Amino acid sequence: MDARDAELKKELNATLQARRELGEEYESALVDSFLEKVDQRIDGAVERRVRRQMAEQQMVVARGSRAPKPTDSWGERFGFGIVSLVLAIPLSAIGGGIAHLPGLLVAWAGIVGVNAFSAARVNPGLFGGRRGRKKDEDRWED
């Protein structure tokens, strides 16, 4: 049990004890008082969560990157690179065997294209996206 829950339970017990001592005529006021305390607790918890999420978003913006996804692990990227190199061998053989040099170039252009797309997905500013813009281009917004 959390310390805050124990404190809230103590408040409830105190409210019930006060109701027994004061009688039913004060029941409405006691319940309203207890519900106000519960409402304040909920508001405080929500406010803390919102502040924490805002701070996390500000950190992401300050770093100039997106929030990391669990699928963007180093192992997954390394595995993708290994698989693409392993598949490059038969693709090169097929392309070079059927269409010679042009087939080989097309096969490797596809391999490079798939890897470039994967790299751009993981690192959005890699190929001159937002990071490549000059500050002078945005002067009209100031």
Side-chain angles (χ1 to χ4, degrees), residues 76-88:
E76 185 175 328
R77 293 188 308 253
F78 182 72
F80 184 79
I82 293 295
V83 168
S84 77
L85 286 176
V86 168
L87 291 177

Side-chain angles (χ1 to χ4, degrees), residues 65-133:
S65 65
R66 60 185 171 85
K69 291 183 180 178
T71 60
D72 290 347
S73 69
W74 180 85
E76 185 175 328
R77 293 188 308 253
F78 182 72
F80 184 79
I82 293 295
V83 168
S84 77
L85 286 176
V86 168
L87 291 177
I89 296 168
L91 288 174
S92 298
I94 294 169
I98 294 176
H100 304 291
L101 184 61
L104 187 63
L105 292 176
V106 168
W108 274 96
I111 294 166
V112 169
V114 167
N115 282 288
F117 179 78
S118 176
R121 182 186 62 84
V122 173
N123 303 312
L126 186 65
F127 296 112
R130 292 185 144 206
R131 293 180 188 166
R133 285 193 327 192

